[in-house]
Amino acid sequence: MSAVPPTPANIAAAARVVQEGGAVVMPTETVYGLACNALDEDAVARVYEIKGRPAENPLIVHIASFEAVEQVAVEVSKDAKRLADAFWPGPMTLVLKKADAVPRITTAGLDTVAVRVPSHPVARELILAAKLPLAAPSANVFMGLSPTRVEDLDPEILVEVDNIIDGGPCEYGLES
């Protein structure tokens, strides 16, 4: 699979892939992520399989704004709201009580969900275009190096994904 630039048409195509249960590699400000519909059990299972990630290792759910947190979490405290106001968008993950809509596979059976709002414009455009929260662990084979550029993607990942958006090098290079 070849990477494509983040044009509006390519982002729309990647959003359709996610909506249809596929897996997409997208840039974030930290590392490249292997994204899928966080609310689709089969899509999430495929991401675990592609990565070789143990099922007891929960995934971070990416949303486009704080307002979207109600799709994936309940009982958001005032402290969580203050943290979100101070650090989102950006590389900070909040752990909140999960909403019923989030499958247990996404949270590895936990009653909490890890949520963040990425600051990378391509990631946010994809989330908005898909109109879904995206589960997006790093786009590497489990325990492998997390890619910070498309050129760093493991060939084992490249052959398994349905779409790759090249948003250039990641700003931080370390997971949130």
Side-chain angles (χ1 to χ4, degrees):
M1 166 80 24
S2 295
V4 297
T7 64
N10 288 338
I11 289 171
R16 282 190 301 278
V17 166
V18 169
Q19 291 166 339
E20 295 169 0
V24 173
V25 172
M26 71 172 188
T28 74
E29 72 280 8
T30 57
V31 298
Y32 272 78
L34 179 55
C36 71
N37 176 354
L39 308 180
D40 180 334
E41 289 183 37
D42 293 335
V44 172
R46 182 164 175 235
V47 164
Y48 274 103
E49 183 180 322
I50 290 170
K51 284 183 61 67
R53 185 180 178 111
E56 63 272 0
N57 200 331
L59 304 181
I60 295 176
V61 175
H62 295 64
I63 56 176
S65 66
F66 181 80
E67 291 71 32
V69 78
E70 66 189 28
Q71 292 179 292
V72 296
V74 296
E75 300 176 19
V76 179
S77 70
K78 289 180 183 175
D79 287 339
K81 173 72 168 117
R82 280 195 289 273
L83 285 169
D85 288 344
F87 296 105
W88 280 357
M92 183 198 63
T93 301
L94 291 175
V95 178
L96 305 167
K97 184 174 179 186
K98 83 172 195 70
D100 290 340
V102 180
R104 294 188 66 75
I105 189 171
T106 303
T107 64
L110 299 173
D111 291 330
T112 56
V113 61
V115 185
R116 79 182 196 94
V117 175
S119 63
H120 197 290
V122 174
R124 296 199 40 221
E125 287 174 32
L126 177 58
I127 296 164
L128 287 168
K131 298 180 176 103
L132 293 164
L134 303 182
S138 55
N140 59 311
V141 174
F142 185 67
M143 299 303 289
L145 291 176
S146 298
T148 58
R149 302 172 311 146
V150 165
E151 297 82 16
D152 299 333
L153 289 165
D154 189 300
E156 289 182 50
I157 299 291
L158 293 173
V159 299
E160 295 294 333
V161 298
D162 305 304
N163 195 302
I164 304 167
I165 300 202
D166 185 349
C170 300
E171 183 179 352
Y172 292 99
L174 182 65
E175 293 88 342
S176 66

mmCIF file of all heavy atoms in Angstrom, residues 98-153:
data_model
loop_
_atom_site.group_PDB
_atom_site.id
_atom_site.type_symbol
_atom_site.label_atom_id
_atom_site.label_comp_id
_atom_site.label_asym_id
_atom_site.label_seq_id
_atom_site.Cartn_x
_atom_site.Cartn_y
_atom_site.Cartn_z
ATOM 1 N N LYS A 98 -16.029 4.650 30.623
ATOM 2 C CA LYS A 98 -16.451 4.456 29.237
ATOM 3 C C LYS A 98 -17.967 4.467 29.087
ATOM 4 O O LYS A 98 -18.696 4.048 29.973
ATOM 5 C CB LYS A 98 -15.866 3.171 28.664
ATOM 6 C CG LYS A 98 -16.599 1.911 28.982
ATOM 7 C CD LYS A 98 -16.014 0.740 28.193
ATOM 8 C CE LYS A 98 -16.921 -0.447 28.190
ATOM 9 N NZ LYS A 98 -18.137 -0.280 27.411
ATOM 10 N N ALA A 99 -18.407 4.945 27.939
ATOM 11 C CA ALA A 99 -19.815 4.889 27.564
ATOM 12 C C ALA A 99 -20.131 3.491 27.063
ATOM 13 O O ALA A 99 -19.249 2.767 26.588
ATOM 14 C CB ALA A 99 -20.101 5.924 26.473
ATOM 15 N N ASP A 100 -21.398 3.109 27.133
ATOM 16 C CA ASP A 100 -21.815 1.787 26.680
ATOM 17 C C ASP A 100 -21.525 1.561 25.198
ATOM 18 O O ASP A 100 -21.345 0.423 24.770
ATOM 19 C CB ASP A 100 -23.307 1.576 26.943
ATOM 20 C CG ASP A 100 -23.624 1.436 28.421
ATOM 21 O OD1 ASP A 100 -22.709 1.116 29.220
ATOM 22 O OD2 ASP A 100 -24.800 1.642 28.785
ATOM 23 N N ALA A 101 -21.466 2.623 24.413
ATOM 24 C CA ALA A 101 -21.218 2.499 22.970
ATOM 25 C C ALA A 101 -19.823 1.968 22.655
ATOM 26 O O ALA A 101 -19.592 1.438 21.568
ATOM 27 C CB ALA A 101 -21.417 3.852 22.290
ATOM 28 N N VAL A 102 -18.895 2.098 23.585
ATOM 29 C CA VAL A 102 -17.519 1.658 23.357
ATOM 30 C C VAL A 102 -17.427 0.167 23.668
ATOM 31 O O VAL A 102 -17.661 -0.254 24.799
ATOM 32 C CB VAL A 102 -16.522 2.446 24.234
ATOM 33 C CG1 VAL A 102 -15.096 1.964 23.984
ATOM 34 C CG2 VAL A 102 -16.642 3.942 23.973
ATOM 35 N N PRO A 103 -17.071 -0.639 22.666
ATOM 36 C CA PRO A 103 -16.973 -2.075 22.906
ATOM 37 C C PRO A 103 -15.862 -2.411 23.906
ATOM 38 O O PRO A 103 -14.844 -1.722 23.985
ATOM 39 C CB PRO A 103 -16.631 -2.659 21.533
ATOM 40 C CG PRO A 103 -16.810 -1.578 20.550
ATOM 41 C CD PRO A 103 -16.765 -0.277 21.288
ATOM 42 N N ARG A 104 -16.068 -3.474 24.634
ATOM 43 C CA ARG A 104 -15.084 -3.896 25.637
ATOM 44 C C ARG A 104 -13.735 -4.233 24.994
ATOM 45 O O ARG A 104 -12.705 -4.067 25.622
ATOM 46 C CB ARG A 104 -15.634 -5.048 26.461
ATOM 47 C CG ARG A 104 -16.846 -4.568 27.296
ATOM 48 C CD ARG A 104 -17.351 -5.560 28.291
ATOM 49 N NE ARG A 104 -16.455 -5.884 29.384
ATOM 50 C CZ ARG A 104 -16.193 -5.114 30.430
ATOM 51 N NH1 ARG A 104 -16.745 -3.925 30.526
ATOM 52 N NH2 ARG A 104 -15.376 -5.510 31.381
ATOM 53 N N ILE A 105 -13.737 -4.658 23.735
ATOM 54 C CA ILE A 105 -12.472 -4.970 23.068
ATOM 55 C C ILE A 105 -11.601 -3.717 22.939
ATOM 56 O O ILE A 105 -10.379 -3.784 23.051
ATOM 57 C CB ILE A 105 -12.697 -5.643 21.691
ATOM 58 C CG1 ILE A 105 -11.367 -6.145 21.127
ATOM 59 C CG2 ILE A 105 -13.419 -4.719 20.727
ATOM 60 C CD1 ILE A 105 -11.513 -7.002 19.894
ATOM 61 N N THR A 106 -12.224 -2.563 22.735
ATOM 62 C CA THR A 106 -11.476 -1.313 22.590
ATOM 63 C C THR A 106 -10.754 -0.961 23.886
ATOM 64 O O THR A 106 -9.639 -0.460 23.867
ATOM 65 C CB THR A 106 -12.421 -0.164 22.169
ATOM 66 O OG1 THR A 106 -13.083 -0.531 20.957
ATOM 67 C CG2 THR A 106 -11.658 1.136 21.955
ATOM 68 N N THR A 107 -11.402 -1.259 25.011
ATOM 69 C CA THR A 107 -10.838 -0.912 26.326
ATOM 70 C C THR A 107 -10.189 -2.102 27.020
ATOM 71 O O THR A 107 -9.856 -2.019 28.198
ATOM 72 C CB THR A 107 -11.931 -0.337 27.239
ATOM 73 O OG1 THR A 107 -12.914 -1.358 27.480
ATOM 74 C CG2 THR A 107 -12.576 0.890 26.629
ATOM 75 N N ALA A 108 -10.028 -3.208 26.291
ATOM 76 C CA ALA A 108 -9.443 -4.429 26.852
ATOM 77 C C ALA A 108 -10.220 -4.903 28.075
ATOM 78 O O ALA A 108 -9.656 -5.388 29.045
ATOM 79 C CB ALA A 108 -7.965 -4.230 27.172
ATOM 80 N N GLY A 109 -11.538 -4.728 28.019
ATOM 81 C CA GLY A 109 -12.398 -5.199 29.093
ATOM 82 C C GLY A 109 -12.516 -4.271 30.278
ATOM 83 O O GLY A 109 -13.240 -4.572 31.230
ATOM 84 N N LEU A 110 -11.837 -3.144 30.242
ATOM 85 C CA LEU A 110 -11.889 -2.197 31.352
ATOM 86 C C LEU A 110 -13.173 -1.367 31.284
ATOM 87 O O LEU A 110 -13.765 -1.219 30.216
ATOM 88 C CB LEU A 110 -10.673 -1.268 31.315
ATOM 89 C CG LEU A 110 -9.307 -1.952 31.433
ATOM 90 C CD1 LEU A 110 -8.192 -0.944 31.199
ATOM 91 C CD2 LEU A 110 -9.157 -2.630 32.789
ATOM 92 N N ASP A 111 -13.557 -0.819 32.416
ATOM 93 C CA ASP A 111 -14.730 0.064 32.462
ATOM 94 C C ASP A 111 -14.353 1.511 32.179
ATOM 95 O O ASP A 111 -15.193 2.408 32.282
ATOM 96 C CB ASP A 111 -15.406 -0.030 33.832
ATOM 97 C CG ASP A 111 -16.062 -1.385 34.038
ATOM 98 O OD1 ASP A 111 -16.489 -2.000 33.037
ATOM 99 O OD2 ASP A 111 -16.141 -1.838 35.194
ATOM 100 N N THR A 112 -13.098 1.737 31.839
ATOM 101 C CA THR A 112 -12.605 3.072 31.511
ATOM 102 C C THR A 112 -12.129 3.088 30.066
ATOM 103 O O THR A 112 -11.841 2.040 29.478
ATOM 104 C CB THR A 112 -11.445 3.484 32.434
ATOM 105 O OG1 THR A 112 -10.415 2.495 32.362
ATOM 106 C CG2 THR A 112 -11.919 3.654 33.870
ATOM 107 N N VAL A 113 -12.055 4.287 29.514
ATOM 108 C CA VAL A 113 -11.571 4.467 28.153
ATOM 109 C C VAL A 113 -10.526 5.585 28.152
ATOM 110 O O VAL A 113 -10.695 6.608 28.824
ATOM 111 C CB VAL A 113 -12.736 4.776 27.172
ATOM 112 C CG1 VAL A 113 -13.465 6.067 27.538
ATOM 113 C CG2 VAL A 113 -12.255 4.814 25.731
ATOM 114 N N ALA A 114 -9.447 5.363 27.424
ATOM 115 C CA ALA A 114 -8.412 6.378 27.245
ATOM 116 C C ALA A 114 -8.807 7.236 26.042
ATOM 117 O O ALA A 114 -9.092 6.703 24.969
ATOM 118 C CB ALA A 114 -7.059 5.718 27.012
ATOM 119 N N VAL A 115 -8.841 8.557 26.228
ATOM 120 C CA VAL A 115 -9.340 9.471 25.195
ATOM 121 C C VAL A 115 -8.368 10.628 25.028
ATOM 122 O O VAL A 115 -7.837 11.149 26.007
ATOM 123 C CB VAL A 115 -10.722 10.052 25.587
ATOM 124 C CG1 VAL A 115 -11.294 10.895 24.458
ATOM 125 C CG2 VAL A 115 -11.693 8.963 25.971
ATOM 126 N N ARG A 116 -8.196 11.046 23.779
ATOM 127 C CA ARG A 116 -7.426 12.261 23.528
ATOM 128 C C ARG A 116 -7.888 12.952 22.268
ATOM 129 O O ARG A 116 -8.557 12.352 21.432
ATOM 130 C CB ARG A 116 -5.935 11.987 23.510
ATOM 131 C CG ARG A 116 -5.359 11.396 22.257
ATOM 132 C CD ARG A 116 -3.861 11.146 22.471
ATOM 133 N NE ARG A 116 -3.128 10.929 21.246
ATOM 134 C CZ ARG A 116 -2.492 11.861 20.574
ATOM 135 N NH1 ARG A 116 -2.505 13.116 20.978
ATOM 136 N NH2 ARG A 116 -1.821 11.582 19.475
ATOM 137 N N VAL A 117 -7.537 14.222 22.158
ATOM 138 C CA VAL A 117 -7.811 15.029 20.973
ATOM 139 C C VAL A 117 -6.457 15.382 20.368
ATOM 140 O O VAL A 117 -5.711 16.193 20.933
ATOM 141 C CB VAL A 117 -8.597 16.318 21.321
ATOM 142 C CG1 VAL A 117 -8.759 17.189 20.076
ATOM 143 C CG2 VAL A 117 -9.937 15.988 21.932
ATOM 144 N N PRO A 118 -6.098 14.746 19.256
ATOM 145 C CA PRO A 118 -4.792 15.050 18.659
ATOM 146 C C PRO A 118 -4.757 16.473 18.096
ATOM 147 O O PRO A 118 -5.778 17.009 17.672
ATOM 148 C CB PRO A 118 -4.662 14.012 17.545
ATOM 149 C CG PRO A 118 -6.053 13.618 17.214
ATOM 150 C CD PRO A 118 -6.849 13.773 18.475
ATOM 151 N N SER A 119 -3.573 17.057 18.107
ATOM 152 C CA SER A 119 -3.444 18.400 17.540
ATOM 153 C C SER A 119 -3.013 18.380 16.078
ATOM 154 O O SER A 119 -3.042 19.420 15.422
ATOM 155 C CB SER A 119 -2.463 19.243 18.364
ATOM 156 O OG SER A 119 -1.166 18.688 18.335
ATOM 157 N N HIS A 120 -2.629 17.221 15.561
ATOM 158 C CA HIS A 120 -2.223 17.162 14.152
ATOM 159 C C HIS A 120 -3.445 17.436 13.279
ATOM 160 O O HIS A 120 -4.478 16.783 13.429
ATOM 161 C CB HIS A 120 -1.635 15.793 13.819
ATOM 162 C CG HIS A 120 -0.848 15.791 12.560
ATOM 163 N ND1 HIS A 120 -1.432 15.928 11.317
ATOM 164 C CD2 HIS A 120 0.483 15.685 12.341
ATOM 165 C CE1 HIS A 120 -0.497 15.903 10.393
ATOM 166 N NE2 HIS A 120 0.679 15.756 10.983
ATOM 167 N N PRO A 121 -3.344 18.405 12.374
ATOM 168 C CA PRO A 121 -4.515 18.773 11.578
ATOM 169 C C PRO A 121 -5.048 17.631 10.710
ATOM 170 O O PRO A 121 -6.259 17.512 10.523
ATOM 171 C CB PRO A 121 -4.034 19.950 10.722
ATOM 172 C CG PRO A 121 -2.553 19.905 10.772
ATOM 173 C CD PRO A 121 -2.182 19.234 12.054
ATOM 174 N N VAL A 122 -4.184 16.771 10.213
ATOM 175 C CA VAL A 122 -4.643 15.665 9.368
ATOM 176 C C VAL A 122 -5.443 14.664 10.197
ATOM 177 O O VAL A 122 -6.497 14.184 9.766
ATOM 178 C CB VAL A 122 -3.466 14.983 8.635
ATOM 179 C CG1 VAL A 122 -3.926 13.747 7.880
ATOM 180 C CG2 VAL A 122 -2.779 15.969 7.700
ATOM 181 N N ALA A 123 -4.968 14.357 11.392
ATOM 182 C CA ALA A 123 -5.704 13.436 12.270
ATOM 183 C C ALA A 123 -7.084 14.003 12.576
ATOM 184 O O ALA A 123 -8.098 13.299 12.491
ATOM 185 C CB ALA A 123 -4.924 13.194 13.557
ATOM 186 N N ARG A 124 -7.144 15.272 12.909
ATOM 187 C CA ARG A 124 -8.439 15.880 13.242
ATOM 188 C C ARG A 124 -9.358 15.938 12.029
ATOM 189 O O ARG A 124 -10.557 15.688 12.141
ATOM 190 C CB ARG A 124 -8.222 17.259 13.847
ATOM 191 C CG ARG A 124 -7.465 17.051 15.169
ATOM 192 C CD ARG A 124 -7.464 18.089 16.194
ATOM 193 N NE ARG A 124 -8.645 18.813 16.445
ATOM 194 C CZ ARG A 124 -8.653 20.122 16.665
ATOM 195 N NH1 ARG A 124 -7.530 20.813 16.619
ATOM 196 N NH2 ARG A 124 -9.771 20.739 16.944
ATOM 197 N N GLU A 125 -8.803 16.231 10.851
ATOM 198 C CA GLU A 125 -9.621 16.248 9.635
ATOM 199 C C GLU A 125 -10.190 14.862 9.357
ATOM 200 O O GLU A 125 -11.360 14.731 8.971
ATOM 201 C CB GLU A 125 -8.796 16.726 8.434
ATOM 202 C CG GLU A 125 -8.500 18.216 8.457
ATOM 203 C CD GLU A 125 -7.567 18.620 7.334
ATOM 204 O OE1 GLU A 125 -7.611 18.005 6.235
ATOM 205 O OE2 GLU A 125 -6.769 19.549 7.548
ATOM 206 N N LEU A 126 -9.387 13.821 9.553
ATOM 207 C CA LEU A 126 -9.866 12.460 9.319
ATOM 208 C C LEU A 126 -10.965 12.090 10.312
ATOM 209 O O LEU A 126 -11.993 11.529 9.931
ATOM 210 C CB LEU A 126 -8.714 11.457 9.392
ATOM 211 C CG LEU A 126 -9.114 9.988 9.226
ATOM 212 C CD1 LEU A 126 -9.827 9.744 7.896
ATOM 213 C CD2 LEU A 126 -7.887 9.095 9.361
ATOM 214 N N ILE A 127 -10.781 12.424 11.572
ATOM 215 C CA ILE A 127 -11.795 12.131 12.593
ATOM 216 C C ILE A 127 -13.106 12.851 12.245
ATOM 217 O O ILE A 127 -14.181 12.271 12.301
ATOM 218 C CB ILE A 127 -11.298 12.525 13.995
ATOM 219 C CG1 ILE A 127 -10.086 11.678 14.387
ATOM 220 C CG2 ILE A 127 -12.410 12.380 15.034
ATOM 221 C CD1 ILE A 127 -9.301 12.241 15.569
ATOM 222 N N LEU A 128 -12.993 14.112 11.876
ATOM 223 C CA LEU A 128 -14.193 14.883 11.508
ATOM 224 C C LEU A 128 -14.861 14.315 10.259
ATOM 225 O O LEU A 128 -16.083 14.207 10.200
ATOM 226 C CB LEU A 128 -13.833 16.355 11.292
ATOM 227 C CG LEU A 128 -13.529 17.140 12.560
ATOM 228 C CD1 LEU A 128 -12.911 18.494 12.212
ATOM 229 C CD2 LEU A 128 -14.784 17.317 13.404
ATOM 230 N N ALA A 129 -14.065 13.942 9.263
ATOM 231 C CA ALA A 129 -14.629 13.401 8.025
ATOM 232 C C ALA A 129 -15.302 12.050 8.257
ATOM 233 O O ALA A 129 -16.359 11.766 7.676
ATOM 234 C CB ALA A 129 -13.542 13.279 6.959
ATOM 235 N N ALA A 130 -14.717 11.233 9.121
ATOM 236 C CA ALA A 130 -15.291 9.918 9.416
ATOM 237 C C ALA A 130 -16.533 10.028 10.301
ATOM 238 O O ALA A 130 -17.369 9.128 10.316
ATOM 239 C CB ALA A 130 -14.248 9.025 10.077
ATOM 240 N N LYS A 131 -16.615 11.124 11.058
ATOM 241 C CA LYS A 131 -17.725 11.336 12.004
ATOM 242 C C LYS A 131 -17.801 10.207 13.030
ATOM 243 O O LYS A 131 -18.890 9.794 13.441
ATOM 244 C CB LYS A 131 -19.061 11.479 11.266
ATOM 245 C CG LYS A 131 -19.105 12.664 10.330
ATOM 246 C CD LYS A 131 -20.451 12.752 9.639
ATOM 247 C CE LYS A 131 -20.517 13.988 8.782
ATOM 248 N NZ LYS A 131 -20.364 13.783 7.390
ATOM 249 N N LEU A 132 -16.612 9.739 13.424
ATOM 250 C CA LEU A 132 -16.498 8.631 14.369
ATOM 251 C C LEU A 132 -15.298 8.851 15.280
ATOM 252 O O LEU A 132 -14.299 9.437 14.862
ATOM 253 C CB LEU A 132 -16.252 7.313 13.618
ATOM 254 C CG LEU A 132 -17.361 6.778 12.747
ATOM 255 C CD1 LEU A 132 -16.811 5.706 11.806
ATOM 256 C CD2 LEU A 132 -18.466 6.211 13.613
ATOM 257 N N PRO A 133 -15.356 8.329 16.499
ATOM 258 C CA PRO A 133 -14.135 8.277 17.306
ATOM 259 C C PRO A 133 -13.238 7.182 16.731
ATOM 260 O O PRO A 133 -13.731 6.134 16.292
ATOM 261 C CB PRO A 133 -14.651 7.920 18.707
ATOM 262 C CG PRO A 133 -15.962 7.255 18.484
ATOM 263 C CD PRO A 133 -16.521 7.812 17.206
ATOM 264 N N LEU A 134 -11.949 7.432 16.691
ATOM 265 C CA LEU A 134 -11.017 6.469 16.109
ATOM 266 C C LEU A 134 -10.114 5.872 17.173
ATOM 267 O O LEU A 134 -9.462 6.607 17.919
ATOM 268 C CB LEU A 134 -10.157 7.138 15.032
ATOM 269 C CG LEU A 134 -10.901 7.796 13.874
ATOM 270 C CD1 LEU A 134 -9.901 8.359 12.866
ATOM 271 C CD2 LEU A 134 -11.859 6.823 13.202
ATOM 272 N N ALA A 135 -10.068 4.555 17.240
ATOM 273 C CA ALA A 135 -9.063 3.877 18.048
ATOM 274 C C ALA A 135 -7.789 3.924 17.212
ATOM 275 O O ALA A 135 -7.814 3.562 16.035
ATOM 276 C CB ALA A 135 -9.472 2.440 18.331
ATOM 277 N N ALA A 136 -6.702 4.396 17.797
ATOM 278 C CA ALA A 136 -5.499 4.583 16.975
ATOM 279 C C ALA A 136 -4.230 4.364 17.786
ATOM 280 O O ALA A 136 -3.554 5.315 18.178
ATOM 281 C CB ALA A 136 -5.498 5.965 16.339
ATOM 282 N N PRO A 137 -3.884 3.105 18.039
ATOM 283 C CA PRO A 137 -2.590 2.848 18.663
ATOM 284 C C PRO A 137 -1.484 3.159 17.657
ATOM 285 O O PRO A 137 -1.759 3.367 16.469
ATOM 286 C CB PRO A 137 -2.650 1.350 18.976
ATOM 287 C CG PRO A 137 -3.525 0.798 17.900
ATOM 288 C CD PRO A 137 -4.569 1.872 17.660
ATOM 289 N N SER A 138 -0.260 3.174 18.107
ATOM 290 C CA SER A 138 0.844 3.440 17.201
ATOM 291 C C SER A 138 0.857 2.416 16.064
ATOM 292 O O SER A 138 0.502 1.255 16.250
ATOM 293 C CB SER A 138 2.173 3.422 17.962
ATOM 294 O OG SER A 138 2.322 2.195 18.652
ATOM 295 N N ALA A 139 1.246 2.867 14.890
ATOM 296 C CA ALA A 139 1.206 2.038 13.682
ATOM 297 C C ALA A 139 2.481 1.214 13.547
ATOM 298 O O ALA A 139 3.226 1.333 12.577
ATOM 299 C CB ALA A 139 0.985 2.915 12.452
ATOM 300 N N ASN A 140 2.720 0.389 14.542
ATOM 301 C CA ASN A 140 3.876 -0.491 14.525
ATOM 302 C C ASN A 140 3.450 -1.886 14.960
ATOM 303 O O ASN A 140 2.400 -2.063 15.560
ATOM 304 C CB ASN A 140 4.964 0.041 15.466
ATOM 305 C CG ASN A 140 4.477 0.154 16.897
ATOM 306 O OD1 ASN A 140 3.411 0.718 17.158
ATOM 307 N ND2 ASN A 140 5.226 -0.376 17.825
ATOM 308 N N VAL A 141 4.283 -2.870 14.652
ATOM 309 C CA VAL A 141 4.075 -4.205 15.186
ATOM 310 C C VAL A 141 4.319 -4.102 16.688
ATOM 311 O O VAL A 141 5.214 -3.360 17.133
ATOM 312 C CB VAL A 141 5.029 -5.200 14.511
ATOM 313 C CG1 VAL A 141 4.936 -6.579 15.145
ATOM 314 C CG2 VAL A 141 4.740 -5.278 13.013
ATOM 315 N N PHE A 142 3.518 -4.813 17.489
ATOM 316 C CA PHE A 142 3.619 -4.731 18.947
ATOM 317 C C PHE A 142 5.072 -4.845 19.398
ATOM 318 O O PHE A 142 5.798 -5.726 18.970
ATOM 319 C CB PHE A 142 2.772 -5.829 19.596
ATOM 320 C CG PHE A 142 2.724 -5.733 21.090
ATOM 321 C CD1 PHE A 142 2.090 -4.664 21.707
ATOM 322 C CD2 PHE A 142 3.338 -6.689 21.878
ATOM 323 C CE1 PHE A 142 2.048 -4.563 23.088
ATOM 324 C CE2 PHE A 142 3.294 -6.604 23.258
ATOM 325 C CZ PHE A 142 2.648 -5.539 23.865
ATOM 326 N N MET A 143 5.460 -3.896 20.247
ATOM 327 C CA MET A 143 6.806 -3.779 20.822
ATOM 328 C C MET A 143 7.851 -3.282 19.819
ATOM 329 O O MET A 143 9.012 -3.174 20.145
ATOM 330 C CB MET A 143 7.269 -5.079 21.471
ATOM 331 C CG MET A 143 6.388 -5.537 22.625
ATOM 332 S SD MET A 143 6.208 -4.344 23.971
ATOM 333 C CE MET A 143 7.841 -4.411 24.691
ATOM 334 N N GLY A 144 7.444 -2.972 18.597
ATOM 335 C CA GLY A 144 8.362 -2.402 17.620
ATOM 336 C C GLY A 144 8.464 -0.900 17.820
ATOM 337 O O GLY A 144 7.734 -0.309 18.622
ATOM 338 N N LEU A 145 9.363 -0.282 17.099
ATOM 339 C CA LEU A 145 9.521 1.169 17.189
ATOM 340 C C LEU A 145 8.313 1.864 16.584
ATOM 341 O O LEU A 145 7.823 1.473 15.523
ATOM 342 C CB LEU A 145 10.785 1.619 16.460
ATOM 343 C CG LEU A 145 12.115 1.216 17.102
ATOM 344 C CD1 LEU A 145 13.278 1.638 16.208
ATOM 345 C CD2 LEU A 145 12.249 1.835 18.478
ATOM 346 N N SER A 146 7.844 2.888 17.257
ATOM 347 C CA SER A 146 6.709 3.657 16.761
ATOM 348 C C SER A 146 7.169 4.577 15.640
ATOM 349 O O SER A 146 8.138 5.320 15.805
ATOM 350 C CB SER A 146 6.095 4.472 17.901
ATOM 351 O OG SER A 146 5.610 3.615 18.897
ATOM 352 N N PRO A 147 6.492 4.543 14.502
ATOM 353 C CA PRO A 147 6.920 5.349 13.365
ATOM 354 C C PRO A 147 6.587 6.830 13.539
ATOM 355 O O PRO A 147 5.498 7.186 13.977
ATOM 356 C CB PRO A 147 6.147 4.753 12.193
ATOM 357 C CG PRO A 147 4.927 4.167 12.809
ATOM 358 C CD PRO A 147 5.329 3.714 14.186
ATOM 359 N N THR A 148 7.533 7.660 13.183
ATOM 360 C CA THR A 148 7.318 9.102 13.219
ATOM 361 C C THR A 148 7.271 9.701 11.808
ATOM 362 O O THR A 148 7.043 10.884 11.649
ATOM 363 C CB THR A 148 8.430 9.800 14.024
ATOM 364 O OG1 THR A 148 9.689 9.494 13.432
ATOM 365 C CG2 THR A 148 8.411 9.347 15.476
ATOM 366 N N ARG A 149 7.509 8.859 10.812
ATOM 367 C CA ARG A 149 7.409 9.246 9.400
ATOM 368 C C ARG A 149 6.845 8.043 8.647
ATOM 369 O O ARG A 149 7.024 6.895 9.077
ATOM 370 C CB ARG A 149 8.786 9.571 8.800
ATOM 371 C CG ARG A 149 9.549 10.664 9.510
ATOM 372 C CD ARG A 149 10.974 10.823 8.996
ATOM 373 N NE ARG A 149 11.651 9.535 8.935
ATOM 374 C CZ ARG A 149 12.553 9.207 7.997
ATOM 375 N NH1 ARG A 149 12.884 10.058 7.063
ATOM 376 N NH2 ARG A 149 13.112 8.016 8.014
ATOM 377 N N VAL A 150 6.206 8.281 7.529
ATOM 378 C CA VAL A 150 5.673 7.186 6.718
ATOM 379 C C VAL A 150 6.791 6.224 6.330
ATOM 380 O O VAL A 150 6.595 5.007 6.309
ATOM 381 C CB VAL A 150 4.930 7.741 5.479
ATOM 382 C CG1 VAL A 150 4.698 6.670 4.442
ATOM 383 C CG2 VAL A 150 3.610 8.354 5.883
ATOM 384 N N GLU A 151 7.960 6.765 6.072
ATOM 385 C CA GLU A 151 9.087 5.920 5.662
ATOM 386 C C GLU A 151 9.497 4.931 6.760
ATOM 387 O O GLU A 151 10.176 3.952 6.487
ATOM 388 C CB GLU A 151 10.312 6.795 5.300
ATOM 389 C CG GLU A 151 10.086 7.710 4.119
ATOM 390 C CD GLU A 151 9.352 9.011 4.481
ATOM 391 O OE1 GLU A 151 9.269 9.376 5.667
ATOM 392 O OE2 GLU A 151 8.838 9.657 3.550
ATOM 393 N N ASP A 152 9.090 5.198 7.999
ATOM 394 C CA ASP A 152 9.447 4.331 9.127
ATOM 395 C C ASP A 152 8.455 3.184 9.340
ATOM 396 O O ASP A 152 8.663 2.337 10.215
ATOM 397 C CB ASP A 152 9.496 5.154 10.429
ATOM 398 C CG ASP A 152 10.535 6.254 10.389
ATOM 399 O OD1 ASP A 152 11.540 6.119 9.664
ATOM 400 O OD2 ASP A 152 10.324 7.268 11.097
ATOM 401 N N LEU A 153 7.361 3.153 8.579
ATOM 402 C CA LEU A 153 6.354 2.112 8.769
ATOM 403 C C LEU A 153 6.920 0.734 8.462
ATOM 404 O O LEU A 153 7.616 0.537 7.458
ATOM 405 C CB LEU A 153 5.125 2.372 7.894
ATOM 406 C CG LEU A 153 4.253 3.543 8.319
ATOM 407 C CD1 LEU A 153 3.303 3.943 7.194
ATOM 408 C CD2 LEU A 153 3.484 3.195 9.584
#
